[in-house]
Amino acid sequence: MRAACGGVALALAIAARATAGEAPAAAPDPALEAHVQAFTRDLRCLVCQNESLADSRAPLARDLRDEVRRLFQAGQDDAQVRQFLVSRYGDYVLYRPPLKTRTALLWIGPGVLLAGAMGGLLWRLRRHARTPEPPLPAPQAQAARALLADLSDDAGPSAAGGERAP
């Protein structure tokens, strides 16, 4: 009984410690906090690289969210805050960077790679279809004929619709 109570107490302590790291909303205004969360969903965490700024728990992401919140509180609009972040961190901070000469490869590259891979596969399949199979050497051809003859002898009645050979 004591071991069970100790286990439950340990589990509760671990759960309390795990939830203690969650920070409450930093902005006293719920509308501002919702705006910050929605805005940072379209921004890439510079540390995690595969998470949005809103979802990341990295210290740099927290600092960037605080900076975005501060800029909104200072009265800047979405375009101004986005421009500030791009000027400081480059287009990489955006999940959907604009199409310009510096980012053209990001937009066109996947399509070019896919088209190249499909073209290469098609070329390989066509080349393989045009290449005839080389004939078997005489000893192997003779062995194959003998195997086929043995199989047809064994399956004689079943080929005629009779019973199967054991």
Side-chain angles (χ1 to χ4, degrees):
M1 180 70 175
R2 278 192 128 162
C5 289
V8 168
L10 179 63
L12 287 174
I14 290 172
R17 176 125 170 97
T19 59
E22 294 294 322
D29 180 13
L32 175 64
E33 188 60 31
H35 185 145
V36 168
Q37 286 296 317
F39 183 80
T40 55
R41 290 214 185 282
D42 292 333
L43 300 174
R44 182 187 318 271
C45 175
L46 300 170
V47 176
C48 306
Q49 299 178 3
N50 63 343
E51 277 188 294
S52 73
L53 203 56
D55 297 332
S56 176
R57 301 180 94 186
L60 178 64
R62 191 171 344 138
D63 292 343
L64 285 173
R65 283 191 303 269
D66 291 343
E67 183 69 18
V68 167
R69 191 175 295 108
R70 186 188 64 74
L71 290 170
F72 282 141
Q73 285 173 336
Q76 293 189 8
D77 63 0
D78 289 6
Q80 291 171 320
V81 173
R82 186 173 286 111
Q83 182 57 40
F84 170 78
L85 292 170
V86 169
S87 68
R88 198 168 193 184
Y89 301 106
D91 287 325
Y92 183 75
V93 76
L94 304 174
Y95 264 126
R96 283 168 270 164
L99 179 59
K100 25 184 186 177
T101 53
R102 294 182 75 191
T103 61
L105 189 59
L106 291 173
W107 286 98
I108 299 168
V112 169
L113 285 175
L114 181 62
M118 295 299 286
L121 179 65
L122 184 63
W123 174 76
R124 174 90 171 144
L125 290 174
R126 288 180 133 188
R127 193 180 87 186
H128 181 70
R130 277 188 261 141
T131 307
E133 291 290 325
L136 284 175
Q140 289 178 350
Q142 201 171 21
R145 277 190 218 101
L147 283 172
L148 288 172
D150 286 346
L151 284 175
S152 66
D153 289 344
D154 290 343
S158 67
E163 298 214 10
R164 294 184 127 179

